[in-house]
């Protein structure tokens, strides 16, 4: 017989649940937390005396004790309900379909303060009443721990203390303690908003201080309750949180937050990229298994380990499993033409020329300190050796227009020399185009442009447009809006099997929104409802979200299980994408145990409504493993799924739960995004980084100016940890002069 916390469901009926934000209620509203323990139900009833000390405080708040038992998840159940009636007598009722169950686990229950504003309105007049209330909260937290003893017993010993504190935190958050918060604040003793990492230790300390304030005890037999759990002190809890962080992502350098950087193929095309990233301040490298293949991943990891040893800078590797994320499919490559344009003002006059990097074929990307607008590779070493600063390169572009490039700088590169040139007129460069140096009115030498990449393929969507999503990935043809209805592909069957007309759909992390107008086995028709004023581009491998659809994803996809073999033998940490419920964690446990990966760090990525709602129980389930554990706030998908306007509250909720569980948090998605892409940060981004300092790690995604972003982030984090701004107080100079 398994007992469930039925009382956590009724708690959410109170508007004052948690007293802070509606997203915290989301955690428990739709599905009660089912926590079990190893006590017999009869023992619980016999221990009704536990609450005798609380009964005399009925005038301060009404107490309700609810226990519900569910037999092994089946419909037949046994329930035991105890409640304090108006005359403050404890009444017990019991109904049972079967009473001879041999396997009994004990009870998850909750004792909560009902929303009785008439009773809560009165402010405490003395410390005695406040002490009684604090003792009631303390007893409730300990009772919740005992009632969930069996679940806590299943947790690995490394996580046992943290799991118990998480239960204490959930017990505290299930109570309406707004009035007590104000009362404690008024006497300057305790802030219930900041005790998440050490709930019992803080409550015990508060009780002890209140008892010290009393000249005489209210009850001669009351010996206090501060010693029953005082072995878990605040310092022990802080040490545990730091230990869990170091165990997963490594010790902090200079007492600052870790910096994680996402890398891809650019890490192997540029010989110095990883070295530059580590020197600038990155301490963790992230590889997304949704992109690339084992050959690319192996080379990235080899370079990370080599440069980490060479620089004597520890660096861990996190690999994200792709998960069941919905994405647009591949598109047919565009023509191999490169457009080079100088910067112009509103009147079309040139402000700055375009900077073009010219290098021999196979030279790799330009040095990290160079930021060109375009890159040209030339298959003619003799031609390049004759170039000097000040020379002019002539050519006819793809349209037959006469254009030129003027050499402004010269750099040594891995296999020769590279040049920076200025382009003052717009031109279109294609493969095979001839370059020449004009000297003495004769063409002195020639070079041939090679390796021009295909242009980016996309559809531009505007409000009111129709978009067709097709299941057939074999046809990668892209229809432009001029030629007909634009089309993209998505190979995932989840999308076509689950969506319904009228449901909203989002693309590219919410940059484009639409409404599903029609569905079939192989096609979905979408009407675009939100896009940029001039339309928004939708390209290949962009995210698709259906926040209101009940899509039944797999816990780990077949690709994830294959990739896990590689991750387990090459990486330090694995990121689990789109975790939604305890079943996903159970599947993960089985796969890790099968491969004996007890030392592989686990990061659960929270990016759906279900993942947010089930966060606490998923953490408790993951704590059964000895593996290091962490949480990533994947704010891109999470904002689309839950609503952007709720993201601030959602972040706070996740940080609070993880703080109580002593689980390190990774702050991810769009951190310093403008700086990474354009080289110039926004003020809101700097503020976002300041908020992210509470996390154990901040993640940056790849971009053209990633090194500048790492350096900026590193500077902010170092200054926040080592420099304390002090107000300069000068003596006031008073003058008695009259003008």
């Amino acid at each position: 017989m398994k007992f469930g916390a039925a009382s956590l469901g009724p708690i959410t009926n109170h508007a004052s649940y948690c007293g802070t934000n509606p997203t915290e209620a989301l955690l428990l509203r739709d599905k009660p937390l089912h926590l079990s323990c190893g006590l017999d139900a009869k023992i619980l009833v016999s221990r009704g005396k536990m609450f005798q000390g609380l009964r005399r405080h009925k005038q301060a708040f009404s107490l309700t004790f609810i226990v519900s038992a569910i037999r092994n998840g089946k419909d037949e159940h046994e329930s035991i309900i105890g409640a304090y009636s108006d005359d403050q007598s404890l009444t017990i009722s019991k109904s049972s379909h079967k009473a001879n169950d041999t396997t009994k686990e004990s009870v998850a229950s909750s004792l909560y303060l009902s929303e009785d504003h008439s009773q809560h309105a009165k402010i405490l007049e003395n410390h005695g009443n406040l002490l009684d209330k604090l003792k009631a909260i303390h007893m409730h937290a300990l009772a919740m721990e005992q009632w969930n003893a069996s679940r806590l017993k299943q947790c690995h010993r490394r996580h046992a203390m943290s799991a118990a504190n998480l239960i204490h935190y959930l017990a505290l958050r299930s109570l309406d303690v707004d009035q007590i918060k104000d009362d404690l604040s008024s006497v300057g003793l305790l802030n219930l908003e900041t005790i998440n990492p050490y709930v019992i230790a803080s409550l015990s300390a508060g009780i002890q201080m209140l008892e010290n304030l009393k000249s005489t005890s209210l009850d001669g037999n009351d010996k206090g309750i501060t010693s029953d759990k005082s072995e878990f002190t605040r310092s022990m809890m802080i040490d545990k949180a730091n230990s869990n962080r170091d165990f997963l992502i490594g010790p902090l350098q200079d007492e600052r937050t870790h910096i994680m950087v996402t890398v891809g193929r650019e890490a192997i095309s540029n010989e110095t990229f990883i070295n530059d990233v580590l020197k600038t301040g990155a301490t963790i490298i992230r590889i997304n298994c949704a992109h690339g293949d084992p050959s690319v991943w192996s080379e990235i990891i080899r370079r990370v380990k080599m440069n980490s040893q060479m620089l004597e800078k520890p660096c861990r590797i996190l690999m994200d499993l792709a998960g069941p994320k919905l994405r647009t499919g591949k598109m047919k490559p565009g023509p191999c033409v490169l457009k080079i344009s100088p910067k112009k003002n509103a009147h079309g006059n040139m402000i700055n020329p375009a900077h073009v990097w010219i290098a021999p074929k196979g030279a790799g990307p330009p040095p990290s300190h160079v930021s060109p607008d375009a890159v040209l590779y030339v298959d003619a070493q003799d031609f390049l050796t004759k170039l000097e600063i000040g020379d002019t390169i002539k050519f006819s572009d793809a349209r037959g227009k006469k254009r030129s490039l003027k050499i402004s700088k010269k750099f040594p590169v891995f296999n020769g020399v590279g040049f920076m040139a200025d382009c003052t007129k717009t031109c279109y460069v294609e493969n095979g185009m001839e370059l020449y140096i004009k000297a003495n009115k004769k063409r002195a030498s020639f070079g041939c442009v090679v390796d021009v990449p295909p242009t980016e393929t996309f559809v531009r969507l505007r409000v009111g447009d129709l978009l067709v999503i097709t299941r057939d990935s074999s046809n990668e043809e892209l229809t432009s809006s001029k030629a007909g209805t634009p089309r993209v592909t998505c190979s995932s069957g989840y999308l076509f099997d689950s969506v319904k007309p009228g449901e909203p759909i989002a693309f590219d992390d919410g940059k484009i929104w639409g409404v599903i107008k029609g569905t079939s086995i192989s096609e979905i028709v979408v009407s675009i409802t939100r896009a940029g004023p001039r339309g928004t581009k939708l390209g290949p491998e962009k995210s698709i979200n259906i926040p209101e659809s009940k899509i039944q994803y797999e816990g780990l996809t077949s690709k994830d299980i294959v990739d896990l073999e590689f991750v387990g033998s090459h990486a330090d940490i694995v990121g689990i994408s789109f975790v939604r419920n305890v079943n996903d964690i159970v599947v993960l446990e089985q796969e890790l145990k099968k491969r004996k990966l007890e030392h592989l760090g686990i990061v659960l990525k929270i990016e759906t409504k279900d993942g947010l709602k089930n966060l606490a129980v998923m953490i408790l389930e993951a704590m059964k493993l000895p593996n290091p554990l962490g949480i990533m706030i994947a704010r891109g998908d999470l904002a689309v799924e839950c609503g952007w306007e709720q993201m601030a509250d959602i972040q706070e909720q996740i940080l609070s739960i993880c703080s109580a569980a002593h689980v390190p948090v990774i702050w991810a998605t769009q951190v310093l995004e403008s700086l990474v892409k354009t080289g110039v940060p926004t003020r809101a981004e700097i503020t976002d980084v300041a908020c992210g300092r509470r996390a154990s790690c901040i993640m940056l995604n790849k971009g053209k100016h990633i090194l500048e972003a790492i350096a900026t982030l590193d500077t902010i984090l170092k200054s926040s940890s080592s420099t304390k701004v002090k107000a300069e107080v000068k003596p006031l100079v008073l003058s008695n002069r009259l003008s």
Side-chain angles (χ1 to χ4, degrees):
M1 174 169 52
K2 184 173 291 186
F3 291 79
S7 56
L8 290 181
I11 288 172
T12 59
N13 293 331
H14 293 280
S16 60
Y17 165 76
C18 296
T20 52
N21 63 68
T23 55
E24 289 199 330
L26 180 65
L27 180 67
L28 302 175
R29 181 184 296 125
D30 298 332
K31 181 180 179 182
L33 260 176
H34 290 285
L35 306 177
S36 61
C37 65
L39 295 178
D40 190 283
K42 294 180 180 178
I43 298 177
L44 177 65
V45 175
S46 67
R47 289 184 180 177
K49 60 184 180 181
M50 290 176 59
F51 304 102
Q52 300 299 322
L54 297 174
R55 287 165 55 184
R56 67 175 181 270
H57 308 306
K58 183 67 165 61
Q59 291 182 353
F61 47 81
S62 59
L63 301 178
T64 305
F65 166 44
I66 301 175
V67 180
S68 174
I70 301 174
R71 187 183 303 281
N72 297 326
K74 300 179 182 179
D75 292 336
E76 55 186 16
H77 67 278
E78 175 179 336
S79 62
I80 303 173
I81 301 176
Y84 286 105
S85 57
D86 293 337
D87 61 356
Q88 300 191 20
S89 61
L90 180 63
T91 60
I92 301 294
S93 64
K94 177 174 179 180
S95 62
S96 175
H97 293 279
K98 294 182 181 180
N100 54 355
D101 227 339
T102 55
T103 339
K104 291 189 177 181
E105 292 182 35
S106 90
V107 187
S109 70
S110 179
L111 181 66
Y112 67 92
L113 306 179
S114 66
E115 185 189 14
D116 189 342
H117 294 292
S118 62
Q119 295 175 355
H120 288 182
K122 186 178 179 181
I123 299 176
L124 293 176
E125 298 177 353
N126 54 64
H127 297 314
N129 287 342
L130 181 57
L131 176 60
D132 292 339
K133 287 188 176 183
L134 205 58
K135 286 183 178 181
I137 296 174
H138 183 275
M139 184 176 294
H140 171 51
L142 295 181
M144 179 68 95
E145 177 187 346
Q146 177 137 5
W147 296 333
N148 292 282
S150 68
R151 177 178 287 274
L152 293 174
K153 188 176 181 180
Q154 294 175 30
C155 293
H156 191 273
R157 61 181 180 276
R158 175 178 292 128
H159 302 298
M161 181 191 301
S162 301
N165 192 71
L166 177 57
I167 295 294
H168 300 153
Y169 165 80
L170 295 175
L172 178 63
R173 301 305 291 180
S174 71
L175 303 176
D176 180 9
V177 292
D178 284 351
Q179 184 62 54
I180 302 176
K181 289 179 185 177
D182 295 340
D183 295 336
L184 288 170
S185 177
S186 67
V187 296
L189 284 181
L190 193 63
N191 184 354
L192 295 183
E193 294 291 342
T194 61
I195 67 171
N196 301 348
Y198 23 77
V199 176
I200 288 296
S202 296
L203 292 175
S204 298
I207 291 170
Q208 186 63 58
M209 285 187 288
L210 284 173
E211 287 183 334
N212 292 340
L213 289 173
K214 293 171 58 178
S215 58
T216 58
S217 175
L218 294 177
D219 187 345
N221 296 324
D222 189 357
K223 298 181 180 179
I225 57 174
T226 59
S227 61
D228 42 18
K229 282 289 179 181
S230 59
E231 66 270 17
F232 293 152
T233 64
R234 173 172 173 165
S235 61
M236 288 176 63
M237 294 295 189
I238 295 175
D239 291 343
K240 186 60 181 175
N242 293 337
S243 173
N244 288 345
R245 177 202 63 208
D246 297 346
F247 193 36
L248 178 71
I249 55 180
L252 287 177
Q253 304 294 322
D254 302 322
E255 294 301 319
R256 62 173 177 80
T257 305
H258 282 276
I259 298 177
M260 179 188 297
V261 178
T262 302
V263 302
R265 291 183 180 272
E266 72 281 359
I268 59 177
S269 60
N270 186 338
E271 194 69 29
T272 64
F273 180 79
I274 294 295
N275 184 279
D276 294 336
V277 166
L278 296 183
K279 283 197 300 185
T280 309
T283 56
I284 305 172
I285 296 296
R286 172 180 174 261
I287 300 171
N288 190 347
C289 293
H291 308 291
D293 53 62
S295 63
V296 175
W297 306 336
S298 298
E299 180 59 21
I300 294 174
I301 292 171
R302 185 191 69 81
R303 295 191 181 195
V304 170
K305 292 182 176 179
M306 178 186 69
N307 285 281
S308 175
Q309 293 178 356
M310 183 173 62
L311 296 172
E312 296 183 349
K313 293 181 65 105
C315 179
R316 299 199 176 183
I317 297 168
L318 181 146
M319 295 188 71
D320 268 357
L321 299 181
K325 185 168 185 172
L326 302 177
R327 296 179 182 272
T328 56
K330 295 181 179 180
M331 298 178 177
K332 185 178 180 180
C336 295
V337 178
L338 177 64
K339 181 182 179 181
I340 304 175
S341 299
K343 293 179 176 62
K344 299 181 180 180
N345 60 19
H347 298 285
N349 299 319
M350 187 188 71
I351 302 174
N352 293 309
H355 301 297
V356 182
W357 174 257
I358 303 174
K361 178 182 179 181
S368 57
H369 61 280
V370 175
S371 299
D373 299 302
V375 176
L376 296 182
Y377 295 105
V378 180
D379 189 13
Q381 189 65 39
D382 294 340
F383 170 78
L384 294 173
T385 56
K386 294 180 181 180
L387 284 177
E388 297 294 339
I389 295 176
D391 286 348
T392 300
I393 299 175
K394 302 284 187 176
F395 62 94
S396 296
D397 74 354
R399 304 166 299 168
K401 302 285 186 180
K402 301 295 184 182
R403 294 292 184 260
S404 63
L405 299 170
K406 187 170 183 179
I407 304 299
S408 59
K409 294 179 182 179
K410 183 177 181 180
F411 300 91
V413 293
F414 181 68
N415 58 346
V417 291
F419 301 89
M420 190 67 80
D422 294 337
C423 178
T424 58
K425 293 184 178 180
T426 299
C427 60
Y428 292 82
V429 179
E430 60 184 352
N431 284 322
M433 191 180 72
E434 291 186 346
L435 307 176
Y436 63 92
I437 304 173
K438 191 172 182 180
N440 298 324
K441 298 183 180 181
K442 294 182 180 180
R443 295 183 178 181
S445 58
F446 295 86
C448 185
V449 176
V450 295
D451 297 338
V452 176
T455 55
E456 177 190 5
T457 308
F458 59 86
V459 292
R460 187 178 292 276
L461 299 172
R462 297 173 174 82
V463 174
D465 286 351
L466 291 180
L467 173 69
V468 176
I469 308 174
T470 178
R471 199 171 196 162
D472 184 10
S473 59
S474 61
N475 181 14
E476 297 176 350
E477 293 290 337
L478 191 68
T479 305
S480 67
S481 56
K482 293 182 180 180
T485 304
R487 306 171 72 89
V488 294
T489 63
C490 179
S491 59
S492 174
Y494 297 119
L495 177 65
F496 298 88
D497 297 339
S498 304
V499 296
K500 299 176 182 178
E503 292 180 340
I505 184 170
F507 302 91
D508 197 4
D509 287 339
K511 293 178 182 176
I512 303 171
W513 281 84
V515 174
I516 296 173
K517 291 297 183 181
T519 64
S520 68
I521 298 176
S522 59
E523 288 187 347
I524 297 173
V525 179
V526 178
S527 175
I528 303 303
T529 58
R530 187 187 302 171
R534 298 182 180 179
T536 303
K537 295 178 181 179
L538 178 61
E541 298 187 1
K542 299 300 182 182
S543 63
I544 302 176
N545 294 90
I546 309 95
E548 295 183 8
S549 178
K550 298 297 182 182
I551 299 180
Q552 300 299 320
Y553 291 111
E554 301 175 50
L556 290 176
T557 66
S558 55
K559 173 177 167 43
D560 292 339
I561 294 174
V562 172
D563 291 344
L564 187 59
E565 292 283 352
F566 180 92
V567 174
S569 56
H570 292 82
D572 303 297
I573 310 166
V574 60
I576 313 299
S577 301
F578 290 92
V579 289
R580 294 171 179 266
N581 51 46
V582 171
N583 293 334
D584 294 343
I585 310 302
V586 171
V587 173
L588 174 65
E589 290 173 358
Q590 294 170 350
E591 296 298 330
L592 293 176
K593 288 179 180 178
K594 188 186 304 181
R595 293 164 177 79
K596 298 181 179 179
L597 298 176
E598 63 273 5
H599 298 296
L600 181 65
I602 301 171
V603 169
L604 306 180
K605 297 175 63 179
I606 307 303
E607 40 201 335
T608 64
K609 285 182 180 179
D610 288 340
L612 174 65
K613 181 176 66 176
N614 298 320
L615 175 58
V617 288
M618 289 194 299
I619 289 176
L620 289 171
E621 184 66 29
M623 283 180 168
K624 293 180 181 179
L625 294 168
N627 302 63
L629 178 63
I631 296 295
M632 178 184 288
I633 310 178
R635 301 184 296 174
D637 288 287
L638 192 57
V640 177
E641 291 276 334
C642 300
W644 296 12
E645 65 279 2
Q646 296 192 60
M647 269 310 298
D649 289 337
I650 288 172
Q651 290 175 170
E652 292 299 322
Q653 180 182 348
I654 295 175
L655 286 169
S656 295
I657 292 175
C658 292
S659 173
H662 307 147
V663 172
V665 175
I666 299 172
W667 189 271
T669 311
Q670 293 185 322
V671 177
L672 295 178
E673 184 178 38
S674 295
L675 176 56
V676 171
K677 292 184 176 180
T678 68
V680 180
T682 65
R683 289 149 183 81
E685 288 178 346
I686 302 301
T687 305
D688 180 57
V689 169
C691 293
R693 291 195 302 238
R694 291 177 298 164
S696 299
C697 177
I698 297 179
M699 188 187 90
L700 295 172
N701 278 323
K702 54 189 176 181
K704 182 178 179 181
H705 301 276
I706 184 62
L707 294 181
E708 293 94 319
I710 298 172
T712 300
L713 180 56
D714 186 61
T715 300
I716 294 172
L717 296 177
K718 283 182 177 178
S719 63
S720 67
S721 62
S722 60
T723 304
K724 294 183 179 179
V725 179
K726 296 182 179 180
E728 183 179 356
V729 180
K730 295 182 179 180
L732 291 175
V733 179
L734 302 179
S735 174
N736 57 1
R737 292 184 181 181
L738 295 176
S739 57

